[in-house]
Amino acid sequence: MITGNKGEWSEAYVFLKLLADGKLYAADENLEKIKNIFYPIIKVLREEAQGKKRDYILNGTIDVVDNKTGLTIMQIPTAEFVNQSQILYQKINDAQGRSFSVPEVEEFLNNIDVSNLKSYTGDKSDIKIVVHDLMTDTKPLLGFSIKSMLGQKATLFNPGNGTNFIYRVTGLGVNNLDLKEINATIAPPKIAS
């Protein structure tokens, strides 16, 4: 069973929604969609943890293609992606708690050869898309980081144990004894004089 938080499920939602819409829309400074400015999507590239690579090609249907052999594995009507993206969006919004599953969408994801919420892109991007730039008639491969607004506010960095900021306290009359006491409660120590 696949479980994830709202941010992780949002990555799967974006994958489904882009294939459902077939367009990558521009947005204004308030992140509002600009309906008449978009790139038609040619395909979405996805790599699973086991090194399995699939191209999801928009071709009237969604053709799932083995990236290594170029063979079409299956064809799925676009309407199924529309339906599944709507279900997942509602489930993300309705979810309670930190981590949850969405069995009905998980079944669909498994059927289209997706076994993880996150694609393994090999870089910092969460999703890779080939679009058709109508202005230049080129087909660039674009990578995007997905930050969801459906759950907690997205962070710009991971505030976990690996994040190592050291704070310098000045002008407060703090002495070294106070700093040692504060640092004794933090691992690793992060307060310097």
Side-chain angles (χ1 to χ4, degrees), residues 169 174-184 191-193:
V169 178
V174 177
N175 62 44
N176 283 335
L177 185 58
D178 293 333
L179 292 178
K180 286 180 183 177
E181 188 176 319
I182 292 169
N183 280 330
I191 308 293
S193 60

Side-chain angles (χ1 to χ4, degrees), residues 40-53:
I41 296 173
I42 297 170
K43 63 183 170 180
V44 176
L45 287 69
R46 187 162 173 91
E47 183 175 349
E48 296 289 322
Q50 309 83 0
K52 178 174 56 175
K53 295 181 181 181

Side-chain angles (χ1 to χ4, degrees), residues 54-189:
R54 299 289 183 254
D55 295 347
Y56 295 81
I57 301 173
L58 288 88
N59 192 21
T61 60
I62 307 299
D63 296 350
V64 181
V65 176
D66 183 306
N67 180 276
K68 292 178 185 172
T69 66
L71 296 174
T72 300
I73 300 167
M74 64 187 91
Q75 292 182 317
I76 298 106
T78 304
E80 288 191 41
F81 285 84
V82 171
N83 183 47
Q84 291 297 316
S85 66
Q86 291 170 346
I87 291 169
L88 183 53
Y89 181 79
Q90 191 61 51
K91 296 290 185 178
I92 293 169
N93 275 322
D94 294 345
Q96 301 294 318
R98 181 160 169 78
S99 186
F100 57 96
S101 63
V102 184
E104 55 271 66
V105 174
E106 181 180 350
E107 181 179 345
F108 178 73
L109 291 172
N110 285 329
N111 288 340
I112 63 168
D113 234 2
V114 172
S115 56
N116 297 294
L117 294 179
K118 299 177 78 63
S119 177
Y120 292 86
T121 60
D123 60 22
K124 291 290 183 184
S125 61
D126 295 319
I127 192 166
K128 291 194 176 188
I129 307 166
V130 176
V131 298
H132 183 191
D133 183 338
L134 299 170
M135 297 294 284
T136 62
D137 198 33
T138 59
K139 296 174 177 69
L141 171 63
L142 307 173
F144 295 92
S145 177
I146 299 169
K147 299 296 180 199
S148 177
M149 295 173 65
L150 298 176
Q152 299 285 333
K153 289 188 176 186
T155 59
L156 293 178
F157 64 92
N158 182 354
N161 290 337
T163 304
N164 194 17
F165 286 105
I166 297 177
Y167 301 92
R168 183 168 307 282
V169 178
T170 60
L172 296 177
V174 177
N175 62 44
N176 283 335
L177 185 58
D178 293 333
L179 292 178
K180 286 180 183 177
E181 188 176 319
I182 292 169
N183 280 330
T185 64
I186 305 170

